[in-house]
Amino acid sequence: MQFGYSETCLDHDTGPRHPETADRLRAIRRGLAKRHGVEYVDAPPAEKSTVAAVHDDSYVDEFHDFCSDGGGNWDPDTVAVEASWDAALTAAGLAEWAARAALDGDDGRDTPFSLGRPPGHHAVEDDAMGFCFFNNAAVAAQAVIDDGLAERVAIFDWDVHHGNGTQDIFYDRGDVFYTSIHEDGLYPGTGEVEETGEGDGEGSTLNVPLRAGAGDADYVYSFDEAIAPAVERFDPDLFIVSAGFDAHRHDPISRMRVSTEGYAMLTECVQDLCAATDAAIAFVLEGGYGLDTLSEGVATVHETFDGRIAMDPDEDPDEKNVELVDDVRAAHGLGAK
Ligand SMILES: [Zn+2]
């Protein structure tokens, strides 16, 4: 894969006891150093106007001034320093690079993956939250739509948390499909099956809130039986993966049980769907707080694009999750299984 990376993202200093640290990127880089076929690409920071295409001008200015004044606690979880402004613009710029590269034809072993931080999927139009300031995946989707490079973009969020920000930004839009598998009841508490979009966006939000303890089989089943048919019907030009690795069984902040191999399975699911719909693929880093599991997860996605074949899940999906997927199918007019 091609990895978008910039040292500017290391300067977003969240302090000594925060889970979202620059060590995450360092761990990913160490893991990738042992792998074959890894390429790094630096990309310019996003323009302020590109970020303001999905965020309110007043919020963007407020965040700028907050950083200029030295930063501090935006909220109890979300902290910034002076350098966070440049890091946030750079993380958005790396995501934008990934979307453009994918639409420019970079696929297979050249598939782009942006390794930016701060992460993005909790950032809403007018506020930062959950360690996120600019919604990197949303900025990328909007940028390629505004430039006429894509008409329809799907964003699949496999981070263990629901990407409330991405959902909100595109909730009434018919040209961006947002879909998430997340742990039910975890921060920020959104992402119910019934949240399906509104107005022109009715049907273009699809949530699968799995029960705590869900593993590889539940994720693959949710993707194959709910997400894939809905995305196929939507028929995107670009498929962005909001790739967090905090659903891993050894991640310190969730109770999900996805294995490292599970990320290979999900990557294959994405590859198969995008082959069927002829969509370009771009990855954008979100969360993941166990340094070893984060680094192994990213490396496993890379290896899958490098030709490694994923194993099958070693168990069946949980009955309750099968019922949940039935509910999702019903909410999206996909018929009974
Ligand atoms: Zn997360």
Side-chain angles (χ1 to χ4, degrees):
M1 299 184 91
Q2 301 183 74
F3 288 92
Y5 172 78
S6 169
E7 295 201 341
T8 306
C9 289
L10 301 176
D11 299 335
H12 168 56
D13 184 354
T14 51
R17 280 177 296 280
H18 199 286
E20 201 292 290
T21 66
D23 283 344
R24 299 176 58 235
L25 297 187
R26 295 189 185 100
I28 291 171
R29 300 251 297 173
R30 272 197 305 277
L32 290 174
K34 299 174 212 151
R35 264 74 177 193
H36 162 264
V38 173
E39 270 187 59
Y40 284 103
V41 174
D42 202 343
E47 297 288 339
K48 195 176 151 189
S49 59
T50 309
V51 170
V54 298
H55 291 289
D56 288 354
D57 288 325
S58 55
Y59 161 64
V60 175
D61 288 338
E62 196 185 348
F63 175 53
H64 173 265
D65 294 348
F66 185 77
C67 295
S68 296
D69 291 346
N73 277 65
W74 184 276
D75 67 31
D77 295 329
T78 312
V79 299
V81 290
E82 193 175 348
S84 299
W85 170 255
D86 285 337
L89 282 180
T90 299
L94 290 168
E96 192 188 340
W97 158 79
R100 290 180 188 280
L103 286 164
D104 205 31
D106 290 352
D107 60 2
R109 288 183 161 81
D110 292 329
T111 300
F113 192 144
S114 77
L115 299 175
R117 65 179 284 279
H121 72 156
H122 296 306
V124 293
E125 276 174 48
D126 62 353
D127 207 358
M129 59 184 280
F131 316 164
C132 304
F133 290 95
F134 294 148
N135 196 311
N136 305 317
V139 169
Q142 189 64 50
V144 296
I145 289 173
D146 285 345
D147 282 0
L149 301 172
E151 287 181 4
R152 301 163 76 73
V153 178
I155 301 173
F156 167 44
D157 188 332
W158 78 34
D159 188 281
V160 78
H161 302 96
H162 179 242
N164 60 299
T166 320
Q167 173 173 301
D168 277 12
I169 287 167
F170 298 117
Y171 204 59
D172 59 357
R173 293 263 298 270
D175 55 348
V176 179
F177 189 98
Y178 175 73
T179 181
S180 170
I181 305 178
H182 48 274
E183 181 178 322
D184 189 24
L186 208 59
Y187 180 89
T190 49
E192 298 296 328
V193 174
E194 296 74 23
E195 296 164 23
T196 56
E198 67 186 15
D200 290 346
E202 183 56 55
S204 64
T205 292
L206 186 152
N207 287 309
V208 188
L210 292 177
R211 296 151 63 88
D216 301 342
D218 302 294
Y219 272 73
V220 170
Y221 184 83
S222 301
F223 190 93
D224 286 345
E225 302 301 336
I227 292 175
V231 170
E232 232 173 295
R233 187 172 62 185
F234 177 76
D235 194 21
D237 304 306
L238 172 66
F239 190 94
I240 297 175
V241 181
S242 257
F245 294 85
D246 40 9
H248 193 282
R249 59 185 59 175
H250 296 138
D251 188 277
I253 71 174
S254 89
R255 292 171 294 168
M256 293 310 223
R257 292 190 304 107
V258 175
S259 69
T260 297
E261 187 66 24
Y263 289 107
M265 297 173 200
L266 282 172
T267 300
E268 268 188 9
C269 287
V270 168
Q271 289 174 324
D272 291 348
L273 172 61
C274 292
T277 56
D278 202 22
I281 309 174
F283 284 73
V284 175
L285 183 67
E286 299 288 356
Y289 305 101
L291 294 183
D292 292 341
T293 52
L294 170 64
S295 136
E296 286 300 304
V298 173
T300 300
V301 172
H302 164 72
E303 287 182 344
T304 308
F305 278 96
D306 202 43
R308 176 188 189 283
I309 307 293
M311 292 192 288
D312 290 326
D314 55 9
E315 53 192 354
D316 291 329
D318 181 87
E319 240 173 71
K320 292 272 187 242
N321 288 326
V322 171
E323 283 171 23
L324 175 78
V325 169
D326 281 343
D327 293 344
V328 175
R329 288 182 60 95
H332 286 269
L334 292 166
K337 270 287 296 160

